[in-house]
Protein backbone atom coordinates (compact mmCIF):
# COMPACT_ATOMS: atom_id res chain seq x y z
CA UNK A 1 0.00 0.00 0.00
CA UNK A 2 1.45 3.38 -1.00
CA UNK A 3 0.06 6.58 0.43
CA UNK A 4 1.19 10.14 -0.19
CA UNK A 5 0.68 13.04 2.23
CA UNK A 6 1.73 16.68 2.07
CA UNK A 7 4.78 17.79 4.05
CA UNK A 8 5.96 21.12 5.42
CA UNK A 9 9.56 22.28 5.12
CA UNK A 10 10.80 23.22 8.60
CA UNK A 11 14.56 23.53 8.10
CA UNK A 12 17.45 21.90 6.26
CA UNK A 13 17.28 18.27 7.31
CA UNK A 14 13.69 18.39 8.61
CA UNK A 15 10.21 18.22 7.14
CA UNK A 16 6.99 17.59 9.04
CA UNK A 17 4.02 15.56 7.89
CA UNK A 18 1.03 13.84 9.49
CA UNK A 19 0.70 10.09 9.06
CA UNK A 20 -2.51 9.12 7.28
CA UNK A 21 -4.99 6.54 8.51
CA UNK A 22 -3.19 3.30 7.75
CA UNK A 23 -5.53 0.75 9.34
CA UNK A 24 -2.86 -1.74 10.40
CA UNK A 25 -0.18 -2.21 13.03
CA UNK A 26 3.47 -2.80 12.35
CA UNK A 27 6.28 -1.06 10.54
CA UNK A 28 5.89 1.03 7.41
CA UNK A 29 8.64 2.56 5.29
CA UNK A 30 8.58 6.36 4.97
CA UNK A 31 10.18 8.03 1.95
CA UNK A 32 10.01 11.58 0.65
CA UNK A 33 9.93 13.35 -2.69
CA UNK A 34 10.22 16.92 -3.98
CA UNK A 35 8.29 16.17 -7.19
CA UNK A 36 5.95 13.21 -6.36
CA UNK A 37 7.87 11.10 -8.91
CA UNK A 38 11.39 10.55 -7.58
CA UNK A 39 11.40 9.22 -4.00
CA UNK A 40 14.21 8.62 -1.54
CA UNK A 41 15.24 5.03 -0.88
CA UNK A 42 16.51 5.46 2.67
CA UNK A 43 14.21 2.82 4.19
CA UNK A 44 13.35 4.82 7.33
CA UNK A 45 10.68 2.94 9.26
CA UNK A 46 7.72 4.19 11.28
CA UNK A 47 6.13 1.87 13.83
CA UNK A 48 2.33 2.08 13.68
CA UNK A 49 0.68 1.16 16.97
CA UNK A 50 -3.00 0.26 16.86
CA UNK A 51 -3.45 0.70 20.60
CA UNK A 52 -6.87 0.94 22.23
CA UNK A 53 -7.19 1.31 26.01
CA UNK A 54 -10.53 0.29 27.48
CA UNK A 55 -10.28 0.25 31.30
CA UNK A 56 -8.10 0.73 34.35
CA UNK A 57 -8.18 -1.09 37.68
CA UNK A 58 -8.42 0.31 40.25
CA UNK A 59 -9.83 3.57 38.95
CA UNK A 60 -8.99 5.51 42.12
CA UNK A 61 -6.32 5.81 44.79
CA UNK A 62 -4.94 8.15 47.46
CA UNK A 63 -3.19 11.44 46.70
CA UNK A 64 -0.07 9.90 48.29
CA UNK A 65 0.29 7.82 45.10
CA UNK A 66 1.88 4.36 44.79
CA UNK A 67 -1.37 2.66 43.72
CA UNK A 68 -0.57 -0.09 41.21
CA UNK A 69 -2.86 0.57 38.25
CA UNK A 70 -3.50 -2.03 35.54
CA UNK A 71 -4.60 -0.62 32.19
CA UNK A 72 -6.28 -3.06 29.80
CA UNK A 73 -6.90 -2.82 26.09
CA UNK A 74 -5.45 -4.10 22.83
CA UNK A 75 -2.38 -3.48 20.70
CA UNK A 76 0.13 -2.97 23.52
CA UNK A 77 3.67 -3.93 22.58
CA UNK A 78 6.97 -3.93 24.45
CA UNK A 79 8.70 -0.77 23.25
CA UNK A 80 12.30 0.16 22.55
CA UNK A 81 11.45 3.55 24.01
CA UNK A 82 10.03 3.75 27.52
CA UNK A 83 6.32 3.15 28.07
CA UNK A 84 4.70 5.56 30.52
CA UNK A 85 1.40 6.44 32.16
CA UNK A 86 0.55 10.12 32.47
CA UNK A 87 -1.80 11.01 35.35
CA UNK A 88 -2.82 14.57 34.55
CA UNK A 89 0.56 16.31 34.36
CA UNK A 90 2.53 13.69 36.33
CA UNK A 91 4.33 10.79 34.64
CA UNK A 92 5.03 7.27 35.87
CA UNK A 93 7.04 4.51 34.12
CA UNK A 94 4.91 1.60 32.90
CA UNK A 95 5.55 -2.06 32.17
CA UNK A 96 3.80 -3.87 29.34
CA UNK A 97 2.57 -7.09 30.97
CA UNK A 98 0.97 -8.56 27.80
CA UNK A 99 -0.51 -7.35 24.51
CA UNK A 100 -3.68 -6.59 26.48
CA UNK A 101 -2.37 -4.94 29.68
CA UNK A 102 0.23 -2.68 31.20
CA UNK A 103 0.83 -1.54 34.77
CA UNK A 104 2.18 1.56 36.46
CA UNK A 105 2.20 3.20 39.89
CA UNK A 106 0.13 6.33 40.37
CA UNK A 107 2.40 9.26 41.24
CA UNK A 108 1.80 11.55 44.22
CA UNK A 109 -0.75 14.27 43.44
CA UNK A 110 -1.36 17.55 45.26
CA UNK A 111 -5.17 17.48 45.37
CA UNK A 112 -8.07 15.04 45.14
CA UNK A 113 -10.23 14.66 42.02
CA UNK A 114 -10.23 13.06 38.58
CA UNK A 115 -7.32 13.32 36.14
CA UNK A 116 -7.03 12.12 32.56
CA UNK A 117 -4.87 9.01 32.16
CA UNK A 118 -2.78 8.96 28.97
CA UNK A 119 -0.29 6.32 27.82
CA UNK A 120 2.94 6.79 25.85
CA UNK A 121 4.56 4.11 23.70
CA UNK A 122 7.22 4.65 21.03
CA UNK A 123 7.33 8.37 21.99
CA UNK A 124 3.63 8.81 21.09
CA UNK A 125 1.15 9.79 23.80
CA UNK A 126 -2.48 8.76 23.37
CA UNK A 127 -5.60 9.48 25.38
CA UNK A 128 -8.69 7.28 25.46
CA UNK A 129 -10.83 9.21 27.94
CA UNK A 130 -9.88 7.03 30.93
CA UNK A 131 -9.86 8.86 34.26
CA UNK A 132 -8.11 8.09 37.54
CA UNK A 133 -9.66 9.62 40.67
CA UNK A 134 -7.33 10.79 43.42
CA UNK A 135 -8.97 10.49 46.84
CA UNK A 136 -8.17 12.28 50.07
CA UNK A 137 -6.00 10.33 52.45
CA UNK A 138 -8.12 8.82 55.23
CA UNK A 139 -6.73 8.47 58.74
CA UNK A 140 -8.03 7.41 62.15
CA UNK A 141 -7.45 10.20 64.68
CA UNK A 142 -8.75 8.44 67.80
CA UNK A 143 -10.98 5.65 69.10
CA UNK A 144 -13.10 5.25 72.21
CA UNK A 145 -13.15 3.07 74.20
CA UNK A 146 -9.54 2.02 73.96
CA UNK A 147 -10.28 -1.61 74.90
CA UNK A 148 -13.01 -4.21 74.63
CA UNK A 149 -13.72 -7.94 75.11
CA UNK A 150 -12.61 -10.50 72.47
CA UNK A 151 -16.27 -11.40 71.76
CA UNK A 152 -16.78 -7.89 70.26
CA UNK A 153 -19.81 -5.70 70.79
CA UNK A 154 -17.87 -2.74 72.22
Amino acid sequence: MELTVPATYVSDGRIDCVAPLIGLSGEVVVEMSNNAVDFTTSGVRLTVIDMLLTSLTPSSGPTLGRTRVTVTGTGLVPAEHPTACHFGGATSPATVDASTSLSCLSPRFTHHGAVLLRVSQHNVTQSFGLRFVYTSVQAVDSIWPLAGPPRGGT
Side-chain angles (χ1 to χ4, degrees):
M1 169 192 323
E2 290 187 23
L3 300 171
T4 304
V5 298
T8 303
Y9 172 84
V10 176
S11 65
D12 288 347
R14 179 178 164 188
I15 61 168
D16 286 351
C17 60
V18 176
L21 176 62
I22 297 173
L24 56 91
S25 292
E27 287 188 342
V28 295
V29 176
V30 178
E31 302 293 353
M32 87 165 207
S33 173
N34 288 328
N35 61 12
V37 175
D38 302 309
F39 286 86
T40 60
T41 57
S42 56
V44 174
R45 297 184 181 279
L46 169 71
T47 301
V48 178
I49 303 169
D50 188 17
M51 176 173 44
L52 174 64
L53 304 179
T54 55
S55 65
L56 59 139
T57 305
S59 60
S60 64
T63 55
L64 293 174
R66 308 233 10 108
T67 299
R68 177 159 303 283
V69 176
T70 299
V71 182
T72 57
T74 59
L76 299 167
V77 293
E80 292 175 19
H81 301 286
T83 299
C85 293
H86 306 275
F87 293 78
T91 301
S92 174
T95 302
V96 176
D97 302 319
S99 65
T100 58
S101 69
L102 63 84
S103 60
C104 52
L105 292 177
S106 65
R108 178 181 286 267
F109 212 70
T110 57
H111 58 279
H112 64 278
V115 297
L116 186 64
L117 178 80
R118 297 171 294 129
V119 172
S120 296
Q121 274 203 311
H122 292 276
N123 291 328
V124 175
T125 302
Q126 299 185 58
S127 172
F128 297 91
L130 300 177
R131 300 212 176 264
F132 183 81
V133 178
Y134 279 97
T135 57
S136 299
V137 177
Q138 303 297 316
V140 175
D141 290 333
S142 64
I143 59 170
W144 186 259
L146 299 177
R151 69 181 184 289
T154 302

